[in-house]
Amino acid sequence: MILAVAIKQVPNLTDDLEISADGTGLDYDALTYVLNEFDEQALEEAVLVKEAAGGSVTVVGIDTTGELDGALHTALAKGADRAMKVTGDFDRDLGSEGQAQLLAEAIRPLAADLLLTGVQAADDRDGQIGPRLAALLGWPYVGVVTHVTPEPGCVRVHKEYAGGLLAEFVVTLPAVIGVQASHQPPRYAPVSKIRQIAKTAQIESVAGQGTPASSSSVRRMFKPEAAGQAEMWAGEPEEVAGKIATLLTAKGLLKL
Amino acid sequence: MSNDILILAEHLNGKLADITNEMAGQARQLAGALGGQAVAVLLGSGAQALAESIGSDRVLYIDDPALAEFNPEAYARVLAAVVAQRQPRVVMLANSSVGMDLAAGLAVTTGLPLIAYVNALSAEDGRIVATSQIYGGKILAEAVPAGEACLVTCLAGAFRPEAGRAAAAVERIASPAPLDGLKVQFVRLIEPEAGDVDITQQALLVSIGRGIGGAENIELAQELAEALGTVVSASRPVTDAGWLPKTRQVGKSGLTVKPKVYLAFGISGAPEHLEGMRGAELIVAVNTDPKAPIFDVAHYGATCDILDLLPALTERVKSDT
Ligand SMILES: Cc1cc2nc3c(=O)[nH]c(=O)nc-3n(C[C@H](O)[C@H](O)[C@H](O)COP(=O)(O)OP(=O)(O)OC[C@H]3O[C@@H](n4cnc5c(N)ncnc54)[C@H](O)[C@@H]3O)c2cc1C
Ligand SMILES: Nc1ncnc2c1ncn2[C@@H]1O[C@H](COP(=O)(O)O)[C@@H](O)[C@H]1O
C-alpha cells in the first residue's frame, strides 16, 4: 500500500503568542515551532498500517517556516521511507485554500492509496486541509479516526464521537483519513538516529506554484478578554496546597 | 441568494445533539437581522420526531434509508445539493466529529469560504462577522468572508440554546442527490467499554494533563486522589499516551463531568477539554503558564509546578485528615 502523510509545524502553544503590530496576525518571528501533535499520531498510524500491509510511507509538508527538515528527518527515523517538502516564497498566513492546493499538487503524482492527515492543526482555520485535499483529489474523507485497519482495496476505520462512542466505516481506496489518535501511542525515535538520518537523508523538494487568495480575511486578532478571571494564589507549593485544602474543607470534600 | 441561515441538525443514536438548538437560537437572531429565516436541515430515516424538536423557523427533513446513520460521503452529497438549491447566506455546522468531516469539503464543492471554530457570529451592516477561537483557545480571530455567503463551524456551548419554542414547520423531502455507489460504508456503532470507575459520578476530581510529564509521574496524582478518596481523570494527551485508560478522559471526545470541585493540574484548557468540564461548580487550575486558557474558566489558580504541588497537597491532606 502506498501511504502518504501530510505534516505541519505549528507554533508551540506554551510560548507567549504575541499579536503582530497591525493586529491581524501573530508576531511570527517570536514563535518556536513544533510538529502538530495529531500529525505525529497520523504518522504512527501510517507506519503501523505499513507494518501490517507492506508498502511505503511518504511524508510531505509545505515548508512555510524554513525549518521543516527537522520534522521530516524525525519522521524518517520513525519509519517513513520518503520525505518531500513543498518550497516557495510563501506567506506564513497562507490560507487553507492555498495550502490544500499546494499539497494536492505535490501528492497527486505519488499515486497514493491512502493519505493520512492530522484531524486538525492547532493553529489557524482548524481542520480544513484533510477534507479539502479529499475534495480536490476526488477521494472520500473520514476524520476523527483512531484506528485504521488495511484490507484489500479498502480500509476499516474507527471514528470517534463524544463520550467514547465509536462508529466503524469501511472506506474504498484511494481515500483521505483524518487521524485523531494512532491505535498505539507514537513510537519514540532516538536523537542519535535522527542525527544519523539528517546526515544522509535526501529530502525531495517540489516547487510550489501560485496559490489562490484566502477567501476570508482576519480583520482583528486579540486575546480573550476573560483572561485572568481566576483569582490567582501566589506562593510556594506548600502554601498553595494549604489554600486548596482549605477550599476542599469548605466544600465539605475534606473531612478534618 | 437568500438571506436564510441553514443549520445542519446533528443527531446520534436517536438523540438530537444539544448544539443543534444552540445553533438554531443563534441562527434565528442572525436571520432576523438579515431579513431571512433559520432553516434547519435534518438528514435521517424515520426521524420525523427529531425534526419536530428543533427550534428553528423551518425544518427541512430529508428522509432516506441511506441517511439512517451518519455517513460523511452521503451527507456531503445531500448538503451540497441543498446549498446549491437554496443559496443560503450562512451554513452553520457544529465543530464536532460530524461537522468537521463535512464543512471543509463543502467549502470546496460550493466554493464558499469556511470560518471554523466559531464562538460568536453576527451581522454588521449586512455583512457577516465571525469570531474563531484559535491556537488552542489562546487567541481570538475576527474574520469576514470575502463574498456574501459563507460556511461556519460552531463550538459547543458558545450560543444560548433555543428553548420552549413551538415546533417549526417540517417539510419532508426525498434526497435531492443520488445516494448510490458510496465509497464510505457505515458498519456499526461501538459503545464505549465500562471503566473501572465512573468519573462522571465523583464530587471531586483530580484531573491531570500533559503537564504531568510522563507515565512515571501518574503515581503522584493517584496518591493524591487516594488520600482525597476520589479518582484521577485526565485530558486527552494523557489517555492517548496510554498513561491512563480512555475511560478517564474528560472533554469533547471523552466524558462530560460536573463535579463540585475540579482540580485541573497541568491542563492548558483547550476548547475540546473545556467542553467536558466547564460545568463544574468550582474549578482550581495549576499550570506553570500564567497565560494558559484554563485560567479563563477557573475560579482559583496558581502557577506552581505540579510535580512539587501534587506531593505537597498529598502531604497536607494526609496530615489534615
Ligand atoms: C476532535 C478533537 C477532540 C478532542 N477531544 C478532547 C477531549 O475529549 N479531551 C481533551 O482533553 N482534549 C481533547 N482534544 C485535544 C485538545 O485539543 C488538546 O490538545 C488537549 O486538551 C490538550 O491537553 P493538555 O492541556 O493536557 O495538554 P497541553 O495543551 O500540552 O497543556 C499542558 C499544560 O501543562 C502545563 N505544564 C507543563 N508542565 C507543567 C508543570 N510541571 N506544572 C504545571 N503545569 C505544567 C503547560 O503550561 C500547558 O499549559 C481533542 C482534539 C480534537 C481535535
Ligand atoms: N502546510 C501543511 N503542510 C502539510 N500538511 C498540512 C499543512 N497544513 C495542514 N496539513 C495537514 O492537514 C491537517 C489539518 O490541518 P488544518 O486544516 O490546518 O487544521 C494537519 O494535521 C496536517 O496533517
Side-chain angles (χ1 to χ4, degrees), chain A residues 159-160 166 168 215 222 229 233, chain B residues 97 140 146 190 236 296 301:
Chain A
K159 173 181 175 65
E160 262 192 7
L166 299 170
E168 184 174 300
S215 61
F222 55 106
Q229 187 204 316
W233 292 322
Chain B
S97 190
L140 296 173
I190 306 167
R236 167 136 218 160
D296 299 345

Side-chain angles (χ1 to χ4, degrees), chain B residues 154-243:
Chain B
C154 306
L155 289 173
F159 306 121
R160 210 174 282 281
E162 183 69 31
R165 267 180 48 81
V170 175
E171 179 189 347
R172 177 179 169 148
I173 60 167
S175 174
L179 292 173
D180 51 347
L182 293 172
K183 294 177 194 151
V184 177
Q185 304 289 334
F186 170 83
V187 182
R188 61 182 173 134
L189 286 179
I190 306 167
E191 296 289 339
E193 282 170 33
D196 51 341
V197 289
D198 184 354
I199 58 169
T200 66
Q201 297 304 313
Q202 308 292 326
L204 168 66
L205 281 171
V206 174
S207 207
I208 51 169
R210 184 148 39 201
I212 195 73
E216 66 282 7
N217 298 330
I218 299 292
E219 221 180 311
L220 298 176
Q222 303 277 28
E223 281 165 12
L224 173 62
E226 228 163 87
L228 288 167
T230 184
V231 297
V232 182
S233 59
S235 67
R236 167 136 218 160
V238 172
T239 58
D240 276 350
W243 301 340

Side-chain angles (χ1 to χ4, degrees), chain A residues 44-68:
Chain A
E44 179 62 34
E45 198 64 8
V47 174
L48 291 170
V49 169
K50 178 184 86 168
E51 287 169 355
S56 67
V57 174
T58 302
V59 277
V60 52
I62 305 174
D63 197 11
T64 44
T65 59
E67 296 170 13
L68 189 67

Side-chain angles (χ1 to χ4, degrees), chain A:
Chain A
M1 185 178 292
I2 302 175
L3 292 128
V5 184
I7 65 168
K8 179 182 205 181
Q9 288 173 300
V10 293
N12 188 342
L13 291 182
T14 53
D15 282 358
D16 268 354
L17 304 177
E18 291 306 330
I19 311 279
S20 61
D22 72 354
T24 64
L26 290 187
D27 177 4
Y28 293 105
D29 294 335
L31 297 175
T32 58
Y33 287 85
V34 293
L35 184 63
N36 179 36
E37 59 174 307
F38 304 114
D39 300 359
E40 216 168 293
Q41 306 277 344
L43 173 66
E44 179 62 34
E45 198 64 8
V47 174
L48 291 170
V49 169
K50 178 184 86 168
E51 287 169 355
S56 67
V57 174
T58 302
V59 277
V60 52
I62 305 174
D63 197 11
T64 44
T65 59
E67 296 170 13
L68 189 67
D69 287 11
L72 293 171
H73 291 144
T74 306
L76 290 168
K78 289 182 174 182
D81 305 280
R82 261 176 91 182
M84 267 172 59
K85 62 179 175 185
V86 182
T87 54
D89 189 14
F90 307 124
D91 199 341
R92 291 228 184 143
D93 284 319
L94 191 66
S96 293
E97 291 92 341
Q99 293 179 65
Q101 185 171 315
L102 288 171
L103 286 169
E105 277 159 18
I107 289 166
R108 218 175 259 123
L110 298 177
D113 301 296
L114 181 62
L115 167 61
L116 300 184
T117 67
V119 64
Q120 67 176 41
D123 52 358
D124 201 358
R125 312 280 157 81
D126 294 85
Q128 299 204 28
I129 302 297
R132 278 185 186 273
L133 278 170
L136 292 173
L137 295 165
W139 300 355
Y141 177 83
V142 180
V144 202
V145 163
T146 57
H147 202 146
V148 179
T149 312
E151 291 179 8
C154 62
V155 283
R156 189 173 293 269
V157 301
H158 287 176
K159 173 181 175 65
E160 262 192 7
Y161 294 131
L165 182 70
L166 299 170
E168 184 174 300
F169 291 98
V170 169
V171 188
T172 305
L173 300 177
V176 183
I177 301 293
V179 176
Q180 166 89 61
S182 49
H183 70 270
Q184 280 173 28
R187 68 197 67 194
Y188 172 78
V191 177
S192 58
K193 186 170 180 193
I194 300 172
R195 284 223 187 95
Q196 191 57 38
I197 282 177
K199 282 189 205 139
T200 54
Q202 296 285 328
I203 291 174
E204 299 162 50
S205 266
V206 186
Q209 304 302 320
T211 57
S214 185
S215 61
S216 65
S217 59
V218 173
R219 66 173 192 186
R220 184 164 80 100
M221 253 190 212
F222 55 106
K223 299 194 176 179
E225 275 152 28
Q229 187 204 316
E231 180 186 328
M232 298 302 280
W233 292 322
E236 294 299 308
E238 289 71 25
E239 294 167 61
V240 173
K243 298 245 164 77
I244 296 177
T246 308
L247 198 91
L248 294 177
T249 310
K251 281 267 165 188
L253 293 166
L254 192 59
K255 307 264 182 314
L256 294 187

